[in-house]
Amino acid sequence: MKQLCAIFFLFLSYNVISQTVNIRGLLKDAVSNEPIIAASIGIKNTAMGTISNDEGVFQLTAPKEGVVLISCLGYKLLAVPVSDFKEETQSIQLEQSEEVLEEVMVTKIPLQQVLLDIIAASKARFNKPIVLHTYYREFVKLNGKYKKFSDGLLDYHASGGTKKTKSDLIVKQNRSFSLSLPTEDEDEVGATLNVQKGISNSYSFEFLERQVINKKDFENYDFTLKSRKNKDGKEMYVIIVEPKQEVEKSLYEGAFVYDPETKLIYDVDMHFAESHKKYPRVISLLGMHVSPLDIKFRAVYKMVNNNYVLSHNNRYVHYKYWTKKYQEITESRSDLIVTDFEKDDLSFDKKEVYKKKYLYDKPTKYTGKFWQKNNAIVLTGEEEKVIASLEKDAIVVPETE
């Protein structure tokens, strides 16, 4: 069975070793032989990292004398010398660990308040100003067919206070393929995810505070607190959020994983509850009706040399739009991984800041096949076919001032 994994491991320093090689690996469950999805792969003594794709494959730039650390929730931590990797893709099997969630008795503080407290603590702990070097990609479907794809090496310059994160986006390299030029109506519909918010929801928890954990909605949910041992034997707490069955509304379900000592969140996974999708929410505005069919949000965090930062996130939205004349179903999914980071001295050129909502509005521009390097997420066979098809028939976006 395919596993969705989380990152809970420690990189030890910022040093980037100059003599590097590109390695590839294929992660599989040692028992079922199924691919392991979204496992965390990093290099010991560096801040670099990546994740495995939906086929369990990853690629990573690594120092020749380095050690690859592979971490995945539900599996034993594995360390593999870079020298063990060959030119071909290395097959690696992970052994399952015996992690059991146990009920935790909390009598003094309501779990709703605990949730608010850990979010506040996490906001206050994020290191800023900081520049996050990321690989970002997005797929868009319209009425069941792929319509757009974009990816790129993006630098998010994050700054701001403890409550709000500001991010200035600089696009270093990118590809953008679209089967049609974006229209004003399409922009209003919001068919794709806003690239400007690539890290803001993960750092400010805007989406969660607005849609899930605001105080007025607490009465719609049940909260359960459980504990488990992390891979290094450390106890982690999990707040499980579930909608009350008697509430007839479109609601979410999911979990927050956090350290009970530091109150820092290490994993957030929230999505529409299957049990409550039968209560669709409809928004009407100027003759158009909008109904969200599914929304998913996941963010994973890590501690690197006393820096608490985002590791990767995933966003997915599935909407239905209709008027008297037409109906459309849109799906958008974005993946963002922080491949490296550094303290930001805020000396970047403000003229280079990209201000548009969508990455596919930016004409394709790259100097090398960045998607095959730079710790980017490896494309699956199906994804490569989709991108090749879009590239073949894409309409070129004109350069604008």
Side-chain angles (χ1 to χ4, degrees), residues 290-327:
V290 182
S291 179
L293 303 178
D294 200 3
I295 296 177
K296 300 177 183 178
F297 174 77
R298 184 161 189 252
V300 177
Y301 306 88
K302 61 186 177 184
M303 185 69 74
V304 183
N305 197 30
N306 203 34
N307 285 275
Y308 177 57
V309 295
L310 174 69
S311 176
H312 74 268
N313 68 30
N314 171 266
R315 296 180 293 164
Y316 173 80
V317 293
H318 188 188
Y319 275 81
K320 175 182 177 182
Y321 304 89
W322 71 97
T323 66
K324 291 182 178 180
K325 297 182 178 180
Y326 72 93
Q327 173 180 298

Side-chain angles (χ1 to χ4, degrees), residues 171-393:
V171 180
K172 310 297 287 187
Q173 299 190 52
N174 74 291
R175 294 185 296 172
S176 300
F177 307 128
S178 175
L179 296 186
S180 65
L181 290 174
T183 66
E184 186 173 328
D185 289 340
E186 188 174 57
D187 199 343
E188 288 296 321
V189 165
T192 62
L193 295 158
N194 189 337
V195 70
Q196 300 292 342
K197 295 184 178 294
I199 67 166
S200 61
N201 282 322
S202 300
Y203 269 67
S204 298
F205 297 95
E206 295 173 359
F207 160 73
L208 296 173
E209 290 183 335
R210 185 175 64 252
Q211 300 286 348
V212 184
I213 55 176
N214 54 72
K215 293 182 178 180
K216 67 182 180 65
D217 284 334
F218 277 158
E219 63 183 19
N220 297 326
Y221 293 94
D222 289 322
F223 299 86
T224 306
L225 183 62
K226 296 189 176 183
S227 72
R228 69 152 180 262
K229 296 291 184 181
N230 202 1
K231 64 181 185 300
D232 55 4
K234 181 177 177 59
E235 185 177 41
M236 303 292 286
Y237 280 6
V238 184
I239 297 179
I240 299 173
V241 183
E242 298 175 300
K244 293 181 177 178
Q245 294 302 311
E246 66 271 19
V247 179
E248 297 182 353
K249 293 181 179 180
S250 177
L251 298 174
Y252 292 83
E253 64 183 356
F256 292 75
V257 179
Y258 72 99
D259 183 337
E261 294 181 2
T262 62
K263 310 298 183 185
L264 297 180
I265 297 171
Y266 281 86
D267 196 328
V268 178
D269 190 352
M270 297 298 297
H271 50 273
F272 268 6
E274 289 294 332
S275 59
H276 284 63
K277 286 184 179 180
K278 57 186 175 183
Y279 309 117
R281 179 164 57 100
V282 178
I283 303 168
S284 298
L285 180 65
L286 300 177
M288 175 178 287
H289 306 285
V290 182
S291 179
L293 303 178
D294 200 3
I295 296 177
K296 300 177 183 178
F297 174 77
R298 184 161 189 252
V300 177
Y301 306 88
K302 61 186 177 184
M303 185 69 74
V304 183
N305 197 30
N306 203 34
N307 285 275
Y308 177 57
V309 295
L310 174 69
S311 176
H312 74 268
N313 68 30
N314 171 266
R315 296 180 293 164
Y316 173 80
V317 293
H318 188 188
Y319 275 81
K320 175 182 177 182
Y321 304 89
W322 71 97
T323 66
K324 291 182 178 180
K325 297 182 178 180
Y326 72 93
Q327 173 180 298
E328 291 185 348
I329 304 292
T330 66
E331 292 179 75
S332 298
R333 169 193 170 185
S334 76
D335 297 282
L336 179 150
I337 57 174
V338 177
T339 58
D340 206 347
F341 67 88
E342 58 190 302
K343 182 176 175 58
D344 195 353
D345 60 8
L346 302 178
S347 63
F348 60 92
D349 188 349
K350 303 299 189 295
K351 294 180 180 179
E352 294 184 2
V353 174
Y354 185 67
K355 297 183 178 181
K356 292 186 178 181
K357 291 182 179 181
Y358 309 126
L359 187 58
Y360 65 74
D361 285 339
K362 184 174 178 59
T364 292
K365 183 178 181 180
Y366 56 86
T367 58
K369 295 183 178 181
F370 62 85
W371 56 93
Q372 295 179 359
K373 303 176 182 179
N374 300 288
N375 306 340
I377 303 173
V378 178
L379 293 170
T380 65
E382 179 183 354
E383 289 168 347
E384 287 182 342
K385 291 179 181 178
V386 169
I387 295 171
S389 177
L390 290 175
E391 183 178 14
K392 177 183 176 182
D393 300 323

